[in-house]
Amino acid sequence: MIFHKPILFSAVQPSGKLTIGNYIGTMRHWSQMQNDYECLYCIADLHSLTIQKKNFSLKESILDTLSFYLACGVDPNKSIIFVQSHVYQHSQLNWILNCFSQFSELLRMTQFKIKRITENNYIKKTNVGLFNYPILMASDILLYQTNFVPVGQDQKQHLELTRKIAHRVNALYGKIFTLPTPLISQYGSKIMSLLEPRKKMSKSDINKKNVIFLLDDISDVILKIKNAVTDSEKLSKIYYDIEKKPGISNLLEIFSAITNKEINVLSKELEGVMYAEFKNMVATHLSNFLSKLQKSYIKYRSDESYLKKIAYEGAIKAQLKSEKTIQNIYSKLGLFSFFK
Ligand code: TRP
C-alpha cells in the first residue's frame, strides 16, 4: 500500500478503564480522521509498563482498548490498528534514539516531573522506563514518517522533543525522519474533573465522582453529571470562561463534544436556561451516547478471535512500514546488515 494522504499517528495506553476524557480528547476524532489521513492507531502497551499495578491484567486491558477503538468507528480496512509490543521496531528505534537524546532534555519533561513527585513533594523511586517514556513516544511517531499527531496539551512537550530528536538525526545523517506536526483542537483536548474542575479528569483519581468512565452504569453517569460542581454567579448564565467558570466550561466542553455543536452556538441556545436544566440536558445526551457506545463495545469485546485477527493483521502492516525506517537508519549509522 502506498500512502498518498498525510500520515497520522495516535495512541492510547491500555492502562485501565478509559474515561470520557480519553474519548473526547482523543478517540472522538479518529473515525472522521480516516477520511483525511492515512491513520495508524496504536495501543501503547509498552508505555503502560512504566507504571506497574497490582491486580491488573494488561492482556485484558489491551483487548478492552482495542474493542473501544473499533466501537469508536476505527475501521481496520481503512487504518492500521496495532499493539505496540507486536511491532519490535518500536523498541529497536527506541534504543537508537536514546543515543540521540540528552539527559537534561528528559529531566525537563513536565510529565516526568509530575509523575515523579508524591503529593507532599517527595521524589518517588522512579523506574528508568518513566524517564525514557518520551523517547519511546518519539520512536512510535518517527518510525512511520508521521506528518500529524493529535495530542492533548499535556503531550505537546513530548512532541516538541520528538521534533528535536528527529531534527538532530537528520542534521547528521540526511533526511531520515519526517518532522511531525501536533494537531491540537481548541476545545475538548482536556476534560477536567467533575468536582475539581481545575484538575484534569484522570482514570486513576481515587474519587470516582470526579470521573466518568466509558463503561460506567448509565444511572451513575446521570448522577455524576448532576453532582458536578458549577459556580455561584448570581445570574446563573451559561457561557465559556475557563478562569471564572471552570465547572460550567467543562460541562460545555462535554456537551459540545457529544452534540457536535460549537461552544458559542451552544451558549446562545442555552440563554435563559438554569444550571439544573443544563445539567439534565448534558446528562441525557451523554447517557444516550454512552449506552450506544457500550453496546457496540460489548459486541466487539465478546469476540476475542476477531480482536486477535485485527491485531495480527495490523501488526504485519505496521512491521512492513516501520522496517523501512529501521533499515534506512541502520544503514546510515553503519550497522552491518546480512541483507545488503
Ligand atoms: N503518551 C500518550 C498518552 O498517554 C500515549 C502515546 C504513546 C502516544 N505513544 C504515542 C500519543 C505517540 C501520541 C503519539 O496519552
Side-chain angles (χ1 to χ4, degrees):
M1 192 182 4
I2 299 168
F3 277 164
H4 294 296
K5 298 182 207 162
I7 299 168
L8 179 137
F9 185 97
S10 196
V12 167
Q13 283 190 62
S15 55
K17 297 187 270 175
L18 294 170
T19 71
I20 58 164
N22 297 113
Y23 174 77
I24 294 174
T26 311
M27 296 157 78
R28 171 167 64 110
H29 306 286
W30 284 5
S31 164
Q32 172 68 32
M33 281 169 170
Q34 297 178 114
N35 304 327
D36 306 328
Y37 305 97
E38 294 296 343
C39 300
L40 292 126
Y41 293 123
C42 170
I43 296 174
D45 57 347
L46 295 174
H47 277 110
S48 293
L49 296 178
T50 56
I51 292 177
Q52 285 137 18
K53 292 191 210 159
K54 290 195 188 106
N55 303 323
F56 171 71
S57 164
L58 184 55
K59 184 180 167 195
E60 293 301 311
S61 192
I62 292 169
L63 293 171
D64 296 347
T65 310
L66 178 54
S67 308
F68 268 120
Y69 281 22
L70 298 168
C72 290
V74 172
D75 178 350
N77 294 315
K78 290 186 186 163
S79 305
I80 301 180
I81 311 171
F82 70 102
V83 179
Q84 186 186 31
S85 66
H86 295 175
V87 182
Y88 312 119
Q89 287 80 356
H90 290 249
S91 314
Q92 288 179 293
L93 186 60
N94 185 201
W95 175 256
I96 293 174
L97 297 187
N98 277 339
C99 304
F100 291 89
S101 307
Q102 287 159 15
F103 198 80
S104 58
E105 284 170 338
L106 292 166
L107 272 180
R108 281 199 296 274
M109 291 294 115
T110 311
Q111 289 294 309
F112 175 68
K113 288 195 222 164
I114 295 173
K115 285 181 187 162
R116 218 182 156 197
I117 292 220
T118 63
E119 273 176 18
N120 28 19
N121 272 335
Y122 285 114
I123 293 190
K124 287 189 222 167
K125 274 193 191 169
T126 334
N127 65 64
V128 180
L130 210 56
F131 186 64
N132 186 277
Y133 187 111
I135 311 182
L136 182 58
M137 234 178 108
S139 312
D140 297 341
I141 297 166
L142 298 177
L143 265 181
Y144 300 97
Q145 307 300 333
T146 301
N147 302 103
F148 295 102
V149 186
V151 283
Q153 283 295 343
D154 59 336
Q155 299 292 323
K156 213 177 138 196
Q157 196 188 22
H158 291 162
L159 216 81
E160 279 156 16
L161 180 70
T162 302
R163 289 174 61 92
K164 223 183 202 178
I165 298 172
H167 180 73
R168 192 172 288 151
V169 174
N170 286 353
L172 284 168
Y173 294 100
K175 195 185 164 301
I176 294 184
F177 298 124
T178 303
L179 294 199
T181 307
L183 287 181
I184 299 176
S185 64
Q186 191 192 353
Y187 295 114
S189 50
K190 197 168 174 190
I191 295 300
M192 311 307 277
S193 301
L194 297 175
L195 299 180
E196 297 158 85
R198 297 197 189 272
K199 189 177 102 181
K200 189 184 169 188
M201 184 182 282
S202 153
K203 49 187 154 198
S204 52
D205 199 317
I206 20 175
N207 186 354
K208 298 302 169 215
K209 291 181 180 158
N210 259 332
V211 190
I212 295 179
F213 294 99
L214 296 181
L215 287 179
D216 266 352
D217 279 344
I218 297 303
S219 55
D220 287 341
V221 173
I222 295 172
L223 212 68
K224 285 180 185 181
I225 292 288
K226 288 196 173 160
N227 288 332
V229 161
T230 51
D231 55 68
S232 50
E233 222 180 44
K234 282 215 183 76
L235 289 167
S236 59
K237 211 168 162 255
I238 295 165
Y239 62 96
Y240 191 92
D241 185 327
I242 202 109
E243 281 309 316
K244 276 200 250 154
K245 298 168 82 71
I248 286 291
S249 302
N250 192 36
L251 290 174
L252 268 172
E253 293 225 22
I254 297 172
F255 199 39
S256 155
I258 299 303
T259 55
N260 261 326
K261 285 187 183 173
E262 303 270 337
I263 296 216
N264 49 7
V265 174
L266 283 176
S267 331
K268 282 213 187 86
E269 286 181 11
L270 291 166
E271 254 168 50
V273 171
M274 302 306 250
Y275 284 175
E277 200 183 327
F278 171 51
K279 282 183 173 180
N280 266 334
M281 293 162 84
V282 178
T284 310
H285 276 85
L286 185 61
S287 49
N288 285 344
F289 164 76
L290 285 180
S291 63
K292 271 194 220 130
L293 186 74
Q294 290 176 2
K295 277 202 193 100
S296 172
Y297 166 83
I298 289 165
K299 189 186 82 194
Y300 288 116
R301 188 63 185 89
S302 60
D303 190 352
E304 279 200 13
S305 58
Y306 176 70
L307 294 175
K308 286 180 179 162
K309 177 175 165 276
I310 297 298
Y312 175 78
E313 290 172 358
I316 300 287
K317 290 184 207 160
Q319 281 174 8
L320 268 175
K321 297 218 161 289
S322 57
E323 190 55 25
K324 284 192 192 146
T325 302
I326 291 288
Q327 287 304 325
N328 188 18
I329 188 155
Y330 270 26
S331 87
K332 297 268 168 54
L333 291 174
L335 293 169
F336 179 85
S337 164
F338 287 122
F339 307 111
K340 278 187 194 154

